């Protein structure tokens, strides 16, 4: 495992102490000394594409609660995850970093929260926030003991209905209990600032919702029924915020850990091909209604964004690859990233506004057939996203695009140089360990 130098980790941990004073101020505000800081409700779905929701153009979707959140806030059309698999995607969210910073071959089995790296919830906790977790914790955790103890070890002060990666097991009973626990947490913490993370398993591997959502639904439309079920559960959360008088100062973020395979939009899961995910943000106090944001945002951006929403500074020495996209929603963004980077297994990718380049460099010579099979085993791919948004035509060998290839490879080479290990012919540090 590749790790940051020990001094950097130690500095990051010690830096949390610098916001303890801020935490005392926030806690004091709960006693009426000053206005309470904003709350966060972060709902992470599992294996979702945007077109499963009405607000993304699906006229047959029965998702009125999600659609209302989008209508009352911001909807992102180019939200993506830097690593399209459950575990590394969640690591990105909590650390604000590419999982390859810690795991040279980021994949579903090895990615986890690195010991010593400050997490989003840990920073918020140190600032005086009540941090809650409920649902699917599909990532490796440092420490020992029960799953609840391990989650508390990375900054959650309250844990309920946590599980590793259950999918089909008793979902019709367990998911309602999961969301009911989330609602209880909200009601119990209305007098203090909180950040609640609801990681639902919906809709991963699920095609059967409770009977009332399946009425009149064909078997082939099972995911649509599950989306309606998810929407109803999210409606319960919004209703609890309304009843508790918290809606105005609570930012609700709805996102997915990655796109689904065969979900009707690309072949993203476990590959770096097209795979946008839904992202909706609703915060009545700061974000105006009916906004559509086209900029490419990634899940490494959640840590700095949420900290800015909560008015909590990033502690000195805490590394992040992301940037706050709050200015994109408030009309204060001077500029945004010109290039976005992605990784999975032995593949890396860079995307600009128009072009996308993918390089596959498996040192074992047996790259994932899913990653390479779509384009006949090609190890280098170039797509024109304006002319070919579905990424069907590989232009890498076209002499007319040699200049674009050189430019995109240069961007990827510069990115790879920031790692402590090499990626094929793109440079870097010493060879990574074998997995």
């Amino acid at each position: 495992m590749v790790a940051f130098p020990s001094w950097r980790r130690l500095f990051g941990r010690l830096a949390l102490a610098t916001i303890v004073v801020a935490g005392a101020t926030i806690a004091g505000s709960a006693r009426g000394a000053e206005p309470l800081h904003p709350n966060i409700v972060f709902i992470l779905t599992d294996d979702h594409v945007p077109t499963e929701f009405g607000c993304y153009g699906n006229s047959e979707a029965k998702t009125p609660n999600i659609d209302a959140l989008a209508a009352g806030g911001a909807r992102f059309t180019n939200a993506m995850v830097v690593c399209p698999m459950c575990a590394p995607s969640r690591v990105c969210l909590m650390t604000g970093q590419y999982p390859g910073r810690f795991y040279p071959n980021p994949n579903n089995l090895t990615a986890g929260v690195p010991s010593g790296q400050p997490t989003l919830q840990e920073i918020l906790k140190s600032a005086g926030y009540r941090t809650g977790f409920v649902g699917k914790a599909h990532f490796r955790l440092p420490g020992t003991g029960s799953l609840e103890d391990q989650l508390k070890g990375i900054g959650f002060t309250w844990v309920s209905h946590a599980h590793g990666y259950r999918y089909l097991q008793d979902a019709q009973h367990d998911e309602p209990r999961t969301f009911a626990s989330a609602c209880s947490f909200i009601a119990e913490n209305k007098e203090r600032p909180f950040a609640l993370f609801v990681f639902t398993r919906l809709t991963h591997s699920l095609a059967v919702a409770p009977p009332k959502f399946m009425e009149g639904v064909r078997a082939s439309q099972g995911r649509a029924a599950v989306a309606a079920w998810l929407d109803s559960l999210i409606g319960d959360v919004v209703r609890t915020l309304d009843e508790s008088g918290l809606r105005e100062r609570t930012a609700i973020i709805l996102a997915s850990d990655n796109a689904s395979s065969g979900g009707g939009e690309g072949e993203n899961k476990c590959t770096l091909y097209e795979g946008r995910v839904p992202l909706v943000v609703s915060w009545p106090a700061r974000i105006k209604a009916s906004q559509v944001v086209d900029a490419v945002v990634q899940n490494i951006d959640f840590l700095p964004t949420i900290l800015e929403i909560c008015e909590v500074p990033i502690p000195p020495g805490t590394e992040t690859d992301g940037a706050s996209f709050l200015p994109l929603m408030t009309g204060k963004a001077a500029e945004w990233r010109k290039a976005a980077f992605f990784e999975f297994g032995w593949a890396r990718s860079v995307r600009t506004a128009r072009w996308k380049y993918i390089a596959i460099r498996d040192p074992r010579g047996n790259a994932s057939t899913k990653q390479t099979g779509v384009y006949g085993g090609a190890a280098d791919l170039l797509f024109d996203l304006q002319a070919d948004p579905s990424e069907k035509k590989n232009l890498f060998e076209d002499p007319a695009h040699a200049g674009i290839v050189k430019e995109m490879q240069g961007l990827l080479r510069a990115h790879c140089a920031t790692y402590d290990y090499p990626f094929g012919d793109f440079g870097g540090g010493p060879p990574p360990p074998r997995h």
Side-chain angles (χ1 to χ4, degrees):
M1 182 179 75
V2 174
F4 283 139
S6 58
W7 67 266
R8 187 182 298 179
R9 288 189 172 191
L10 177 62
F11 190 35
R13 287 291 185 186
L14 292 177
L16 293 178
T18 66
I19 55 176
V20 169
V21 174
T25 301
I26 292 175
S29 70
R31 295 190 292 271
E34 59 184 66
L36 288 169
H37 280 231
N39 299 317
I40 297 292
V41 174
F42 192 108
I43 302 172
L44 187 73
T45 66
D46 202 338
D47 282 26
H48 244 127
V49 292
T51 51
E52 295 188 79
F53 300 139
C55 57
Y56 280 97
N58 187 336
S59 60
E60 297 182 358
K62 298 178 180 179
T63 54
N65 294 297
I66 294 171
D67 299 345
L69 290 176
R75 175 174 61 87
F76 289 75
T77 62
N78 285 300
M80 301 177 184
V81 298
V82 301
C83 190
M85 199 68 173
C86 294
S89 178
R90 290 154 200 257
V91 173
C92 294
L93 187 162
M94 291 184 289
T95 65
Q97 296 195 349
Y98 299 104
R101 298 287 187 209
F102 313 105
Y103 304 94
N105 179 14
N107 60 51
N108 193 41
L109 298 178
T110 62
V113 179
S115 178
Q117 173 68 18
T119 61
L120 168 59
Q121 61 273 10
E122 202 167 25
I123 297 170
L124 290 171
K125 175 185 174 182
S126 295
Y129 269 75
R130 178 79 165 159
T131 53
F133 180 89
V134 58
K136 178 187 171 187
H138 191 173
F139 43 84
R140 288 197 302 113
L141 287 157
T144 59
S146 67
L147 179 58
E148 179 176 341
D149 289 339
Q150 290 177 303
L151 286 166
K152 288 182 176 180
I154 61 168
F156 292 108
T157 58
W158 175 91
V159 177
S160 179
H161 281 85
H163 59 90
Y165 42 88
R166 293 200 303 265
Y167 300 130
L168 297 173
Q169 301 95 317
D170 200 29
Q172 292 194 23
H173 296 93
D174 199 35
E175 284 301 305
R177 289 195 293 263
T178 293
F179 277 84
S181 291
C183 292
S184 295
F185 175 88
I186 292 170
E188 292 167 5
N189 289 278
K190 61 183 179 180
E191 299 299 329
R192 61 179 299 171
F194 63 79
L196 174 61
F197 296 80
V198 184
F199 285 11
T200 174
R201 83 187 85 177
L202 303 180
T203 61
H204 193 304
S205 302
L206 290 172
V208 179
K212 69 176 182 178
F213 296 101
M214 296 296 294
E215 292 178 4
V217 175
R218 299 190 302 272
S220 61
Q221 295 179 316
R223 284 184 65 92
V226 174
W229 177 26
L230 170 66
D231 182 83
S232 175
L233 295 170
I234 290 174
D236 293 339
V237 172
V238 176
R239 200 157 34 249
T240 301
L241 289 168
D242 285 334
E243 293 170 355
S244 300
L246 301 174
R247 184 67 188 91
E248 183 72 15
R249 66 179 178 88
T250 300
I252 300 175
I253 301 172
L254 173 64
S256 180
D257 64 348
N258 51 251
S260 58
S261 294
E265 192 168 313
E267 292 289 339
N268 175 252
K269 185 162 186 176
C270 301
T271 81
L272 297 184
Y273 303 126
E274 207 290 332
R276 288 170 292 169
V277 295
L279 174 58
V280 170
V281 183
S282 176
W283 183 21
R286 287 284 305 279
I287 300 174
K288 294 181 180 179
S290 303
Q291 293 193 60
V292 178
V293 181
D294 295 322
V296 175
V297 300
Q298 300 172 282
N299 50 350
I300 51 173
D301 299 324
F302 287 131
L303 182 146
T305 301
I306 289 173
L307 290 182
E308 184 174 7
I309 288 173
C310 295
E311 303 167 359
V312 173
I314 297 177
T318 299
E319 301 277 338
T320 177
D321 290 308
S324 172
F325 55 78
L326 179 59
L328 295 175
M329 300 183 287
T330 57
K332 297 180 179 180
E335 61 179 33
W336 190 241
R337 61 169 58 95
K338 303 300 183 184
F341 299 93
F342 306 85
E343 58 187 53
F344 180 75
W346 301 111
R348 301 289 184 269
S349 175
V350 57
R351 171 189 170 130
T352 62
R354 178 173 179 179
W355 302 99
K356 181 175 179 180
Y357 169 69
I358 301 175
I360 302 171
R361 300 292 188 270
D362 190 337
R364 304 163 300 179
N366 59 345
S368 162
T369 55
K370 183 176 183 182
Q371 186 94 289
T372 60
V374 180
Y375 298 96
D380 295 271
L381 304 104
L382 178 71
F383 301 106
D384 182 344
L385 299 177
Q386 288 184 4
D388 179 26
S390 298
E391 302 175 10
K392 299 300 183 183
K393 186 176 182 180
N394 181 11
L395 302 173
F396 180 78
E397 299 291 350
D398 186 346
H401 295 93
I404 296 297
V405 167
K406 184 177 180 181
E407 177 184 344
M408 299 298 283
Q409 288 183 328
L411 289 171
L412 186 57
R413 185 168 290 106
H415 175 68
C416 290
T418 67
Y419 284 75
D420 296 331
Y421 56 88
F423 173 69
D425 50 312
F426 285 87
R434 296 283 183 164
H435 289 270

